[in-house]
Amino acid sequence: MATETIKVNSREFVVKKYSFPTEQIPRLDYQDKKAEKLIENGQPVILTGSDLVGSAHHWDIGYLCSNLGSGQYTVYSSADGKFKYYDDKKLTQNKQFKPPTTQTDMTFQEFAAKLKRKDNKELMYLQQPLNETVGTRIVMDFTNFNWGWANETQKKNHWGPMTSNLLLVGMEGVITPAHYDEQENLFAQIQGYKRFLLFDPSQFECMYPYPIYHPHDRQSQVDFDNPDLTKFPNFANLKGYEGVVGPRDVLYLPMYWWHQVESLHGHGETISITFWYKAAPTVKVVYPLTSGQKVAIMRNIEKMIAEALNNNESMPSFMQAMVQGRYT
Ligand SMILES: CC[C@@H](CC(=O)C(=O)O)C(=O)O
Ligand SMILES: [Zn+2]
């Protein structure tokens, strides 16, 4: 895999080199009017100075070990370092599906002990919603997040309720392959550095997501390291954005925007917290539709057809019959 060295804020990072061009994600002070405008317009921006999780800036593996309590945490392991999400509620309809990662529940202390081992054959990624099992100091840190700003941003942009804060603790080199989420996201980086590759929802045609009934729904089928341009020809037209988030940075990651996330080498484990919010209600349809709205329409139609046919095997021929020679 080819690599390249990029420079971010006088720091150098060695990153994987891909076939598609990227532009830089804007990086602005959180109080800059331009930043507020970007969020209002559903455009990504890396925000500095918000201290959204300022009360957690001292979180490191040792502190979390001492203060996260003895609750069980979900830890994924992957031989190739890629952690493609899969919906285990869809496994029953897809008997032949082989999960690309293994999932183990363990205490944070067990996870920390594994991080220290030198004979790990697989990369590990802890991903766990913060819940009431955490210790009192974590609760205090959580309470002291900059909720004033978060709530003001939520309100100003008419987002729905916050649904979860996912704690992410990854080994250097872990990769979350390209996917999109159906929620607005304020992504707070606490330790380590993560490279985000972002793609506008209008790039849907280049990303070839799995069918909606597949466990990898919302994930791209394309292997960025070795794209099959026969099967996925439009991937050759992909254009993206990229940026590196470090400690104290917050990335506004708009709903329906594709993203791949790479924990960079040389700066230790990455610790992040997501702030996911339900979408703002569509009060009035305004034309032209946004590319995110078009993805939502496609998803709803695909869902309705899958439910009506009640037979996933017949979806490909049905969908092709609908468009082949008529819209192609
Ligand atoms: C869920 C893991 C991923 C983040 C992400 O996809 C999101 O916050 O939506 C990452 O940081 O590796
Ligand atoms: Zn995501």
Side-chain angles (χ1 to χ4, degrees):
M1 184 70 208
T3 60
E4 58 185 344
T5 302
I6 59 171
K7 213 168 173 154
V8 178
N9 284 7
S10 71
R11 280 180 186 277
E12 289 201 343
F13 299 94
V14 176
V15 297
K16 294 172 92 173
K17 191 167 172 43
Y18 295 111
S19 56
F20 47 80
T22 58
E23 291 175 42
Q24 283 302 304
I25 301 168
R27 187 183 178 84
L28 298 166
D29 182 276
Y30 82 116
Q31 293 181 313
D32 187 324
K33 288 290 172 231
K34 289 198 294 294
E36 291 179 20
K37 199 71 193 150
L38 285 168
I39 296 173
E40 198 182 304
N41 294 334
Q43 296 292 313
V45 53
I46 295 174
L47 303 163
T48 58
S50 73
D51 257 355
L52 174 57
V53 294
S55 53
H57 284 153
H58 56 288
W59 287 11
D60 58 19
I61 302 298
Y63 179 87
L64 294 177
C65 238
S66 314
N67 292 284
L68 268 183
S70 54
Q72 292 292 297
Y73 285 78
T74 303
V75 176
Y76 297 92
S77 300
S78 161
D80 67 0
K82 292 180 182 176
F83 293 79
K84 187 181 286 187
Y85 170 79
Y86 65 90
D87 181 349
D88 48 17
K89 294 189 292 304
K90 294 183 177 173
L91 295 183
T92 45
Q93 306 166 29
N94 296 268
K95 297 262 184 282
Q96 73 292 350
F97 178 74
K98 295 226 175 331
T101 57
T102 50
Q103 179 181 329
T104 316
D105 288 343
M106 62 182 82
T107 64
F108 194 89
Q109 294 75 21
E110 287 164 335
F111 173 61
K114 285 176 179 290
L115 289 177
K116 285 202 179 100
R117 294 176 54 160
K118 294 292 167 245
D119 60 349
N120 285 316
K121 300 250 180 321
E122 301 202 325
L123 290 189
M124 292 183 288
Y125 206 164
L126 180 145
Q127 303 188 3
Q128 176 73 34
L130 282 176
N131 54 37
E132 61 295 329
T133 64
V134 298
T136 45
R137 287 177 71 184
I138 299 286
V139 172
M140 200 169 65
D141 297 338
F142 182 87
T143 312
N144 291 326
F145 287 172
N146 186 350
W147 293 109
W149 174 72
N151 297 343
E152 181 197 325
T153 304
Q154 173 191 19
K155 192 157 171 270
K156 239 191 295 189
N157 294 287
H158 312 293
W159 294 344
M162 190 181 79
T163 55
S164 66
N165 300 101
L166 189 65
L167 172 65
L168 300 162
V169 183
M171 292 171 87
E172 289 185 1
V174 301
I175 292 179
T176 299
H179 69 282
Y180 66 87
D181 300 300
E182 294 181 276
Q183 298 197 62
E184 300 289 357
N185 185 358
L186 292 173
F187 184 95
Q189 188 62 9
I190 295 171
Q191 294 291 352
Y193 290 81
K194 279 183 169 176
R195 179 202 199 187
F196 273 81
L197 295 162
L198 265 55
F199 308 93
D200 187 299
S202 63
Q203 301 279 292
F204 184 96
E205 288 83 354
C206 307
M207 297 298 269
Y208 302 90
Y210 288 84
I212 204 153
Y213 48 73
H214 192 284
H216 282 325
D217 172 28
R218 295 182 294 107
Q219 321 291 309
S220 172
Q221 297 179 84
V222 186
D223 175 357
F224 275 27
D225 294 333
N226 183 24
D228 178 344
L229 296 182
T230 308
K231 199 168 174 201
F232 309 119
N234 291 337
F235 185 78
N237 308 326
L238 187 65
K239 290 191 293 300
Y241 296 84
E242 75 171 285
V244 172
V245 293
R248 300 172 183 264
D249 289 341
V250 174
L251 166 70
Y252 164 56
L253 179 47
M255 188 168 64
Y256 293 120
W257 273 69
W258 293 87
H259 48 287
Q260 172 152 314
V261 195
E262 304 180 349
S263 288
L264 298 179
H265 288 279
H267 300 272
E269 288 86 11
T270 53
I271 301 176
S272 323
I273 294 187
T274 70
F275 291 66
W276 271 310
Y277 295 87
K278 285 239 184 265
T282 303
V283 179
K284 184 169 173 294
V285 176
V286 176
Y287 290 97
L289 296 176
T290 65
S291 43
Q293 285 173 323
K294 289 176 185 171
V295 172
I297 292 169
M298 285 194 270
R299 284 187 65 81
N300 288 338
I301 290 171
E302 207 176 321
K303 266 182 209 160
M304 282 193 291
I305 293 174
E307 277 158 23
L309 293 181
N310 192 32
N311 169 359
N312 294 340
E313 282 68 43
S314 62
M315 277 291 277
S317 55
F318 186 92
M319 299 296 272
Q320 284 161 40
M322 261 176 74
V323 298
Q324 226 143 36
R326 303 180 60 230
Y327 292 97
T328 53

